[in-house]
Every structure is written in structure tokens, then in C-alpha cells.
Amino acid sequence: MNSFCPSDNGGTGGDAAFADAPPSVAEAAVSSNTADSHATALVVEEDPASAALLRLFLETEGFRVLTVASGEEALDIARRVPLSLITLDVHLPGMDGWKFLLQLQDSLGLTSIPVIVIAGLTDMGMALRRGAAAVLEKPLQQAELQSSLILLGLRPDRPRTRTILIVDEDDETVNQVTAYLHESAFHVESAATGAAGIADAVALAPDLILVNPMMEQLGGLKMLRALQDHASTQHIPVLVLAPVALTNEEQDKIDSDPEQPVVAMNEPDVNVETLLAKIQRALE
């Protein structure tokens, strides 16, 4: 059984929250969770946090995603990789977004690639005159991106809805995590005890289980062992959400099965970007 636990410094974003995000296509930054989709999006964004959030949004919409941090890299990729969409921050080092748009329009075979400019304060008219298909402002909201994709006919076949089982006796945590998960991509069920969680895991066969290891009734640590011992649940990935730092003894219990390692990080605070990133990794 694979298991994952978020590592975060408790903030609302920043580089630390996206440590797992591939920074560049040069490092093979291709998402594999949408293998059935042939639509590839290129994110051109210098800020790692913004790039990672955009990647998550686009993966949810069914795209494979490449990320680069400069106009030069983006132009090179556009010439070599068939793209269905480019998202572009105009404030880039070296070749900025305005020059990139002009280069794209002057390149044979690339003028048909739709470009969505995503930036702070920018000249919308200039962006559209230089070939942008749409202009969105930062901070980007997923609903705005979805609307633009619909208007441009760029929403590829969506991935199937994934079922996630949250096992936690704390209603506030369950509600918070549920609110983070986009309803079109995830179907969320919850259980308040370890025993109920095991029963639901057997009945539902969820794609992922989120569990609090510190529950009082049949705690999460015992639940993990029960899941590992049951043939129908031992393959289900688990994301461990510990409300407090784990002791060495508790960590040893989680790591007790070398064939099915359960990894937990001693980080109690989770933000939405980190949680979504870890869920995406767990489902790959």
C-alpha cells in the first residue's frame, strides 16, 4: 500500500508548498495522470508557485502539462511539441511575453495555438492585438480558467471522477478538506471512525483514503494495519493527515511493513495547494 503525507510550512503558497512540482520541461515535466488525453498545455510562468497551481488546475481539466520559466524555452518547446494550449505570463526574464507572442505569430505552424495570457495588471487590448485568445488576471481562479476553456472549445475529455474517502472524527477537518476538492474531479465520502472507514473502504473501493492516524476509536494507525491486511484494500493509496507531530514510535508503526511502506510527515498544517499536489501524486 502506497501512502503519502503532506509536507508544508503552514503558509498559503510559496516555493516550499510546491517542492514536488517540476520546474521545467527540460526536466521532463510531463504529468502522467492524464495519459488517455492527447491535449497538452504549456505553462509559461517564472513564479514556481503560480506555475504549479496552474498545472494543477489544467491537470484537473484533463490536460497533460509542461512548464517552462522563460519565453526562449517556451518557443523552443512550441516548435517541437504539439500543443493544444499555452498559458503565458507576460512578465518574463529575457524574452518577455509580448516578444514571445510576436515570435509565435511569425512562426509557421504555431499561429493556431491558442494563448491565454495570465498576469497581474496588463494591457488586455495589446495582448489581444498580439494574438492572445484570452486574458485572465492574477490571482487566477479555476472557475475563470474553466470559462475561458469552454469559450475557446479547449476542454478535452475530462478524467473520470475519483472517489476519495476521508476518515477523521473531526467534522471541521472533513468539511475543510472536502471544500478543497473540486466536485467535478472528486467524489468525497467520509467516515468518523476507523471501523467505519475500513467498512467503507471495502464497500466503496475508493481511489484514495485520507486518514487521521490519531483518532480515538480504532485509531488510524490500527486502521492502516487493517487495510494492509485486507486483500481488497491493501492496494489503495493512503494520504496520512496527522493533526499533531508523530512520535518516533508512531512513525515506526506506520513504517512497520517494508513491502507496503506508509510514509507520514510530522507537519500538522496543510494548505490547499499542498493538499491538491499530494492528492494528484497519490493518484498517479
Side-chain angles (χ1 to χ4, degrees):
M1 177 168 61
N2 297 319
S3 141
F4 305 80
C5 186
S7 57
D8 182 35
N9 59 7
T12 58
D15 295 356
F18 298 95
D20 294 332
S24 168
V25 71
E27 298 177 27
V30 182
S31 167
S32 61
N33 73 319
T34 55
D36 295 332
S37 171
H38 296 290
T40 299
L42 174 63
V43 172
V44 189
E45 171 61 66
E46 181 185 19
D47 178 59
S50 297
L53 186 59
L54 248 176
R55 178 170 56 82
L56 290 174
F57 283 170
L58 289 168
E59 286 178 345
T60 299
E61 295 302 316
F63 288 91
R64 288 193 298 260
V65 181
L66 311 178
T67 64
V68 296
S70 71
E72 289 86 354
E73 287 181 285
L75 197 59
D76 178 60
I77 294 305
R79 288 168 173 161
R80 295 190 291 111
V81 178
L83 298 175
S84 299
L85 172 68
I86 297 173
T87 69
L88 175 68
D89 182 3
V90 294
H91 303 293
L92 298 170
M95 179 193 293
D96 64 15
W98 303 121
K99 293 178 181 177
F100 171 78
L101 283 171
L102 292 176
Q103 289 283 335
L104 200 67
Q105 293 302 310
D106 289 340
S107 299
L108 185 64
L110 302 183
T111 58
S112 62
I113 303 174
V115 178
I116 298 179
V117 169
I118 301 174
L121 296 176
T122 190
D123 188 332
M124 181 180 298
M126 181 183 293
L128 296 175
R129 287 194 300 272
R130 296 198 177 190
V135 180
L136 299 177
E137 292 186 359
K138 291 182 178 180
L140 180 66
Q141 303 297 315
Q142 187 167 12
E144 295 176 355
L145 177 62
Q146 289 174 337
S147 296
S148 292
L149 294 176
I150 291 172
L151 290 173
L152 296 170
L154 294 175
R155 294 187 86 180
D157 293 336
R158 306 271 315 256
R160 69 179 179 86
T161 299
R162 304 297 189 97
T163 298
I164 294 182
L165 174 63
I166 305 173
V167 185
D168 198 317
E169 60 196 1
D170 180 27
D171 289 339
E172 183 177 350
T173 299
V174 172
N175 292 336
Q176 183 180 33
V177 172
T178 300
Y180 286 166
L181 301 176
H182 194 269
E183 61 181 6
S184 62
F186 303 107
H187 172 70
V188 181
E189 297 283 349
S190 64
T193 67
I198 293 170
D200 286 349
V202 173
L204 297 172
D207 296 282
L208 176 66
I209 299 174
L210 275 63
V211 59
N212 173 5
M214 305 302 181
M215 293 181 296
E216 293 184 3
Q217 300 184 35
L218 184 58
L221 296 178
K222 292 181 179 178
M223 176 187 169
L224 289 172
R225 294 301 304 162
L227 291 173
Q228 289 176 331
D229 291 338
H230 200 290
S232 66
T233 58
Q234 61 184 200
H235 66 286
I236 301 174
V238 176
L239 178 64
V240 177
L241 300 175
V244 297
L246 299 175
T247 66
N248 290 335
E249 182 180 359
E250 290 164 342
Q251 184 72 55
D252 288 342
K253 289 181 180 179
I254 287 177
D255 296 334
S256 61
D257 188 344
E259 302 262 334
Q260 301 169 338
V262 178
V263 179
M265 301 294 292
N266 292 337
E267 297 288 347
D269 297 319
V270 182
N271 65 46
V272 58
E273 292 90 354
T274 301
L275 180 62
L276 287 175
K278 292 299 181 181
I279 286 174
Q280 293 285 1
R281 295 295 174 271
L283 290 173
E284 289 178 358

